[in-house]
Structures are given as C-alpha cells and as structure tokens.
Amino acid sequence: MPDLLLELFSEEIPARMQRRAAEDLRKLVTDALVERGFLYEGAKAFATPRRLALHVAGLPPRGQDVREERKGPRVGAPEGAVQGFLKSAGLASLDEARIVSDPKKGEFYVAVIERPGRETIQVLAEILPAIIKSFPWPKSMRWGAASREPGSLRWVRPLHSIVASFGPETETPEVVPFAIDGVEIGFTTRGHRFLAPQAIEVRRFADYLPALERAFVVLDADRRKDIILHDARDLAFARGLDLVEDEGLLEEVAGLVEWPVTLMGAFDERFLAIPPEVIRATIRANQKCFVLRGSPGPDGRERLANAFILVSNLVASDGGAAIVAGNERVVRARLSDAAFFWETDRKVRLEDRLPKLDSIVFHEKLGTQGARVERIASLARALAPLVGADADLAERAARLAKADLVTEMVGEFPELQGLMGRYYAAEQGEDPAVAAAIEEHYKPLGPSDRVPSEPVSVAVALADKLDTLVGFWAIDEKPTGSKDPYALRRAALGVIRLILAREARLSLRAQIAAAASGHGQGSDAFADDLIAFFADRLKVYLRDQGAHHDLIDAVFALPGQDDILMVVRRVEALGRFLDTEDGKNLLAGYRRAANILRIEEKKDGRAYDAAPDQALLSLPEEAALARALDQAGAEAGRAVAAEDFEGAMRALSSLRAPVDAFFDMVTVNADDAGLRANRLALLHALRAATREVADFSRIGGEGR
C-alpha cells in the first residue's frame, strides 16, 4: 500500500506552537482523505524547530469505483421534470436511462451512474495546497515579493520547501503535483542548519528518518525530550546532584533544538543566598536552563546547587566549553540583578509600600489595587470567624497581600508574586500565618493546585476571590461562552474548593452582599445570577468527583440553598439514597405521581394543592399513604432542619411501600369527582414531601 510523506520546511517555528501544529496537520489531512472515501492504516505527525512532517501509511493507490442508481420521473412526465433528471444524472438523453416497472407506481426512469475511482495522488494534489494555504497558525506572516499580492501564502515563518511524495515501497514514489506561491515542491529537504546544511534527497518515510538522523536532526519531539531528560539526569548524577525536573521547560527546550546536546554550567556559590525560587525563575526564564538540587542544608531542607543544565543545538569542537562559558556569563549577570533586587526590596517594609498600590489600576471600573486591598481586608476580617481564623491576623495578611506587586523582584518576575511577599513578610518578623497567607491567598490556581489549609490563608483567599467575582458581576463583565479574560470560573471554583476543604459554613448570598457593600452598592441586581454561576461551577466540580449534575440542580432548586457545604452534603446523601432500591422505587413513584398531576392539572386548569380530606380516604392503601406522608414529611423536615440529611433520606425511604401499594390498588382518576380530586391532592402531598430534601423533578433517570 502506498504511503504519503509530507514535510513543510521553514524558518524556526516557535516552540509553543509546534506540538499543536503537528496535530493540526495530521487531523486536517486525514480528515480530508476520509471525507473523500480514502481510508488509511495509520498516520503520525512530527515537528522540529524548522519543519512539520506527516507520514500517512497504507493509503490505497486509487479510490473505489462508484455505481449508483438514481430514480427519475415517471414515464410520460412533463418535459421539465425529464430535463432536470437528465441534467442531475449527467445523461445526454433518455436512451441512456432504464425503465423500471413498479406494480403500484407504474413505470419510471432510472439512471445508472458509474464513476471510476480517482487516483489518490490527484486527490492529494487538491487537498494539500488548500490545507497549507488555510493552516490555522495562531500567528502567521507573508514574505518576499509574493506578499504584495492579495491572498498570498501565509505561514508562521517563511516557508522554503515542501517534500510531498506518494507511492508504494516497491516502486519509486511520485511527487504530488501541486504548486504554492513559488515554493519548491519535490524530494529535497535539509538537515541541521549548522551541522549538515546541505540538501538531502528523500523519497519515502523509510528513507526520511535515517537521512535526518545522519544530518543531525531528531524528528520526534518526544524522543528529543527523552534524550534531554536522560542526559541531564546522567550529568547531574555524575556530580552527585539531582535534576529539578520541569515538564513545561522540557517541552519548550525540545522545541528549540533539532539535535539536543546537554551541558552543565555553574555559578558563584554566593548566589545561593537568594531564595531558590528566584534562582530557578532567573535561570529558567532567561536561559531556558534546568536547575540542580544539592545536599540538604544544616536545617535539613533541600538546597539548590550552584550548577545548571543547558541544552545546546550544536556538537561543538571544544566539547561545548565556549557555549557553557557564554551561558555562565549571562546567568551570572542575571543572578547579580536578582541579588540586587533581593537586597534592595528587603530594605523597605511591606506596609510602607502600600501607598504605591493607589497608583496601580486594577480595572478602570473597579479602581486601584489600593482600594481593592481595603475591600479585601474588610472582607477577610468578616470571614475569619467563619473559617476559624484570627480576625486581626486575617486583616493584617490581607493588607499586605498585594504589597509585593511593587517590589523590584516581582516587577522582574511576575510569577513570583505572593511567594516574594511571604519571604519579605518573614524577613520583617510578621506572624508566620500572615506570611503564609500572603503567598497562599492566590491559591488554588487551578483544579490540580493545592488548597490552603491554614485558617488565615483561607480567609484571605476567600476574600480575594469573592471581591473579584462580585466586582466583575457588579460591572456586568461576566464570562461569555469560552471567553473568561478575568479567570472568573477559576475564582469561583477556588471559592468552592476552599469552602469544602475547610468545611466552612457560610451563606454565599450574605458574603456577596458584604463584598458588594465594599464596592458601594447593593447586590440585589446580580446575587441570584452569581449564585447560579457558583452552582454551575459546583456541578463541574462534583461531576469530576463522580456525582450526577442533576442532583445539584435538584438541591439548588429549593429556596435559600446558598451554603456550598450543606448543598454538597445534601447532594451526597441524595445520591446514596437514590442508589438504593428504596430510592430508585420512590423516584419512579414520584415520577408517576408528577406525570399524573401535570396532565390532570393542565386538563382541569387548576392545582390540586389542598390537603387531602381524611374523610374521603376510602381505601386502606390511600389512607396508609396519607399517614406515611404526614409522618415522613414531618420527620424529613426535622432532619433537614438539624442538617441530618441521611436521616431525611431514611424518612423518605419509608414511603416506598405505601407508594407502591397505592399505585397497585388505587385508581386515581375515579369516576367520583370528589374521590378523584382527593387522590390527586394525595399525589401533590407526595410531591411536597420529597421537596423537603430536593426537587425530584430535576432528577434524570438515565444511569441511576
């Protein structure tokens, strides 16, 4: 079976774009082939800094022949219908059609359309230029004389050549015949820019991989990552050190080199006095290098070593000595800057930096960071007793939480905000809980990030996130669709995780009102909408934990449900109940009752919400159900009031037998109008009893 080899050779592709571009190329080409009926055995795409490549194996040499019978008009139909049929079927006259007889419909024309399968290489010649010209780069450019022409080719960087070969292993492949804005298309590619810059001829994928290896190009990004990681570990081990692994940096560096060569550099030991996170950020951000971990210090804590791993794209004749020396010079300069920032920042207390926050705009409609700090401090103080925190410490931590934004270090490395504040707070003798909260109030930053456990940290983190959410809701800057520029979904999920991890009892509505007052307004206009937003985030969170989202809807549908912890506990209890036979049968009985009520109330134009008349309970089954409803409803209500949701479910489980017996033995739509109305009122009482724990109408039936 023939294979396709496609390589798009260009100037350097940004590392962050390579993996996605390779996947896009694979998907676009294979989807286009399948859409045209061309199946394949396998496909894999690759990316290096200077090329995207695709290998599609096991393509047929040509498409399948198509034979189609197309039914036409009846014999004797109007001329217009006949001509339309001939045109659509591609026939010159009715002589080319068959006449088929149908006992019921009479005689009608049938066209037999036969189309031979197209050559695969011709289909590729149509597919590939269209994909290349419309390739979905996040950013692209035009270049050269052709860039003056409208509709000229755009690519992430200037595209130099294309390899596009198709053919079986046993024959010489052919070049796929297409042209794109003067770019050379053939069998020619190039190896490493410096180590093997000469042209290379490749005709099939089996030749392509070893040819690139000989030309100092490792095509597979994952293999480049493996080479870097293992060589870095070996270099570190040889010095008695450990590599501080960094998946994000590893992915980036693998996209910067075609022939990875790992080397080790060093820096002055005096720089180890700088916080290790600063050293790592400096070396990572500026030089794309990995740091190393040495032996524990006197305090038993792990310490960084004064060495680093760099990845070169060259096999140097001096063994890399000049490359290492150049990197060491830059690292030394960068660490000198960081040491200066560290010493300078420590001379100014955090509280003395607070006035500068008044000049930093948080959002044009929400004021400055200084005003925001005042709101967060007030809110943190109010939240402190709800999460078991000291109110004075919570307020102090909130006031200092943003002060490091105006330090030299955070100005240079924004990713260190919070962390540097913790260091500076500890240096100036702040309470350890205050220092910890300054770092941790940003957490959790994502679904896998750690949730703070210290009460002061929880209070400040909740205050920070609630102020953000309420502020943006107040100015109507809510997330829309997939757009969430202010990360409000992440903030709401953070509030949920903080509350649940701390098992904190608080009313969202009350806290929204408190936060809104800090903005000088009420929350009546948006509180319901913001609580619904929290409900949606809670659904996402609990669904990831294995809960059914409809149970959350069923609980939130009840009035006053704004205590996240109680909602979750009720959802958990409801889920366990509905997994039992009693729960499943009661849900089925509820649905039957609700359906009957809905139909009859719509037909009669009235609600049957009056209490059942005890005198009209003529059958033992309906009398038994009435007694059970009175008892279960009261017990469930008391249990819910006591926040004993398991007890509420047990109360409801007692309804299973009388509900089953009622539907087995009682005709709801009795001939007697009084009996019928009373029995419908009994069904309404069942519906009302279940609402003590949830709105059962919101609960789906699939998979339960």
Side-chain angles (χ1 to χ4, degrees):
M1 295 286 279
D3 290 0
L4 166 68
L5 170 61
L6 176 66
E7 184 204 68
L8 302 152
F9 182 79
S10 68
E11 294 297 323
E12 273 75 2
I13 305 167
R16 67 183 184 279
M17 298 183 187
Q18 290 172 22
R19 194 171 288 273
R20 174 63 183 271
E23 177 57 23
D24 284 343
L25 181 64
R26 184 197 65 78
K27 190 173 190 307
L28 289 168
V29 172
T30 55
D31 283 358
L33 286 166
V34 171
E35 185 180 321
R36 291 161 176 79
F38 290 82
L39 303 182
Y40 59 96
E41 292 177 0
K44 188 170 183 181
F46 307 88
T48 80
R50 294 210 295 164
R51 72 198 78 224
L52 289 182
L54 173 67
H55 175 225
V56 183
L59 279 166
R62 63 193 297 272
Q64 294 183 343
D65 296 340
V66 176
R67 186 180 188 278
E68 175 190 355
E69 289 191 357
R70 184 173 299 176
K71 185 178 178 181
R74 288 180 292 102
V75 174
E79 183 63 18
V82 171
Q83 291 302 318
F85 166 63
L86 293 175
K87 183 177 180 181
S88 67
L91 303 182
S93 70
L94 288 174
D95 294 338
E96 298 178 9
R98 292 191 296 119
I99 296 176
V100 176
S101 295
D102 187 298
K104 295 182 179 179
K105 299 181 180 179
E107 294 183 328
F108 55 89
Y109 296 108
V110 172
V112 178
I113 303 170
E114 294 183 344
R115 290 193 297 270
R118 298 181 62 196
E119 296 291 329
T120 305
I121 196 168
Q122 296 302 323
V123 174
L124 288 169
E126 293 177 4
I127 289 172
L128 297 182
I131 289 172
I132 294 168
K133 284 194 169 184
S134 61
F135 198 80
W137 291 108
K139 291 184 179 180
S140 58
M141 61 180 290
R142 298 191 188 97
W143 63 93
S147 65
R148 294 192 293 267
E149 301 298 325
S152 60
L153 175 65
R154 300 184 66 94
W155 202 247
V156 62
R157 296 291 185 271
L159 184 61
H160 292 316
S161 64
I162 299 174
V163 172
S165 75
F166 179 75
E169 293 182 6
T170 55
E171 300 175 15
T172 301
E174 299 179 63
V175 173
V176 180
F178 66 94
I180 291 185
D181 286 8
V183 177
E184 179 185 348
I185 300 172
F187 296 127
T188 302
T189 186
R190 293 183 181 274
H192 192 284
R193 184 186 289 276
F194 304 111
L195 300 177
Q198 62 274 18
I200 305 169
E201 186 171 290
V202 291
R203 294 186 174 272
R204 54 176 58 86
F205 188 72
D207 305 328
Y208 180 65
L209 272 180
L212 287 183
E213 290 276 347
R214 290 192 296 272
F216 298 95
V217 175
V218 177
L219 183 64
D220 190 337
D222 288 332
R223 184 162 168 254
R224 295 197 299 275
K225 286 175 65 175
D226 284 343
I227 291 170
I228 294 167
L229 184 59
H230 287 94
D231 288 356
R233 286 172 176 168
D234 290 346
L235 277 176
F237 180 76
R239 287 275 303 274
L241 305 173
D242 291 321
L243 177 70
V244 178
E245 297 187 14
D246 185 330
E247 176 61 29
L249 179 60
L250 181 61
E251 177 76 16
E252 183 178 7
V253 171
L256 297 174
V257 297
E258 290 195 316
W259 191 258
V261 177
T262 57
L263 302 166
M264 182 180 289
F267 55 85
D268 293 344
E269 193 169 359
R270 63 186 176 89
F271 289 125
L272 293 177
I274 305 171
E277 296 87 353
V278 174
I279 296 173
R280 182 175 180 180
T282 301
I283 292 176
R284 184 189 198 279
N286 293 299
Q287 291 304 103
K288 311 302 180 190
C289 295
F290 298 86
V291 296
L292 299 169
R293 188 184 296 113
S295 302
D299 57 359
R301 298 177 62 183
E302 289 186 336
R303 299 172 67 247
L304 292 185
N306 61 321
F308 60 92
I309 296 289
L310 64 99
V311 181
S312 169
N313 194 33
L314 286 174
V315 179
S317 57
D318 63 355
I323 295 171
V324 169
N327 276 268
E328 287 178 340
R329 282 194 299 273
V330 177
V331 166
R332 187 184 312 117
R334 297 294 188 182
L335 289 177
S336 295
D337 290 343
F340 174 77
F341 296 150
W342 171 240
E343 293 300 328
T344 302
D345 286 342
R346 293 158 70 196
K347 295 175 182 178
V348 182
R349 293 181 65 83
L350 290 174
E351 61 263 38
D352 294 336
R353 297 182 180 276
L354 295 181
K356 288 188 176 181
L357 294 177
D358 292 329
S359 62
I360 299 176
V361 176
F362 171 64
H363 185 278
E364 60 180 0
K365 295 181 181 179
L366 296 175
T368 65
Q369 284 284 9
R372 186 160 180 259
V373 163
E374 290 298 320
R375 295 194 302 268
I376 295 171
S378 175
L379 199 54
R381 186 174 191 86
L383 284 164
L386 301 178
V387 297
D390 181 282
D392 291 337
L393 293 179
E395 182 178 358
R396 175 70 175 171
R399 289 197 182 282
L400 300 181
K402 307 295 182 184
D404 68 348
L405 295 178
V406 291
T407 62
E408 298 284 350
M409 191 72 82
V410 173
E412 181 72 13
F413 301 109
E415 67 271 25
L416 297 181
Q417 61 186 280
L419 174 67
M420 295 314 302
R422 180 175 191 161
Y423 273 111
Y424 298 140
E427 283 273 325
Q428 68 183 43
E430 295 291 338
D431 189 287
V434 170
I438 292 172
E439 177 187 6
E440 295 180 335
H441 82 281
Y442 291 106
K443 293 181 175 295
L445 289 173
S448 59
D449 194 21
R450 180 179 64 84
V451 179
S453 58
E454 288 297 320
V456 173
S457 298
V458 174
V460 182
L462 282 172
D464 181 64
K465 292 167 178 57
L466 285 168
D467 177 77
T468 299
L469 288 159
V470 169
F472 282 107
W473 245 258
I475 62 173
D476 199 26
E477 290 278 359
K478 300 176 289 188
T480 56
S482 61
K483 296 181 179 178
D484 187 9
Y486 304 112
L488 300 181
R489 293 188 180 97
R490 186 176 71 188
L493 183 58
V495 169
I496 289 167
R497 292 183 64 201
L498 285 162
I499 289 172
L500 296 181
R502 188 65 191 167
E503 296 189 344
R505 297 294 311 279
L506 56 87
S507 162
L508 282 179
R509 190 173 298 276
Q511 300 310 319
I512 289 168
S517 68
H519 289 271
Q521 65 179 82
S523 61
D524 292 347
F526 60 82
D528 287 342
D529 188 57
L530 183 49
I531 289 173
F533 182 73
F534 274 108
D536 287 340
R537 293 299 92 203
L538 183 60
K539 274 190 254 184
V540 172
Y541 175 75
L542 291 183
R543 187 168 59 233
D544 291 343
Q545 308 298 313
H548 292 276
H549 68 86
D550 54 349
L551 301 188
I552 307 165
D553 287 335
V555 172
F556 261 111
L558 301 182
Q561 299 304 310
D562 68 342
D563 184 327
I564 293 289
L565 182 63
M566 290 300 100
V567 166
V568 170
R569 287 182 176 172
R570 191 181 293 213
V571 166
E572 291 170 348
L574 182 59
R576 288 191 289 270
F577 173 57
L578 293 176
D579 283 338
T580 66
E581 285 302 311
D582 284 345
K584 292 173 184 175
N585 286 341
L586 179 60
L587 180 60
Y590 166 86
R591 288 189 180 127
R592 187 172 177 183
N595 287 336
I596 293 171
L597 271 174
R598 184 177 64 252
I599 293 168
E600 299 306 315
E601 287 178 340
K602 182 178 180 181
K603 183 172 66 177
D604 298 343
R606 55 164 292 195
Y608 291 95
D609 52 2
D613 186 344
Q614 298 295 317
L616 294 177
L617 301 174
S618 59
L619 296 177
E621 289 79 13
E622 55 186 328
L625 178 57
R627 288 192 301 272
L629 286 171
D630 287 341
Q631 182 177 349
E635 288 181 7
R638 287 192 295 271
V640 167
E643 298 175 353
D644 177 12
F645 301 117
E646 299 289 351
M649 302 305 161
R650 285 195 299 272
L652 288 187
S653 69
S654 68
L655 293 174
R656 173 192 172 177
V659 167
D660 289 348
F662 177 85
F663 282 119
D664 286 343
M665 304 304 296
V666 178
T667 302
V668 175
N669 286 320
D671 294 334
D672 184 288
L675 282 178
R676 173 178 175 273
N678 204 55
R679 288 168 181 174
L680 289 172
L682 200 56
L683 297 187
H684 172 78
L686 170 61
R687 186 166 59 183
T690 59
R691 283 185 66 85
E692 290 291 341
V693 295
D695 183 351
F696 276 41
S697 69
R698 304 294 186 98
I699 301 174
E702 295 301 320
R704 205 181 308 291

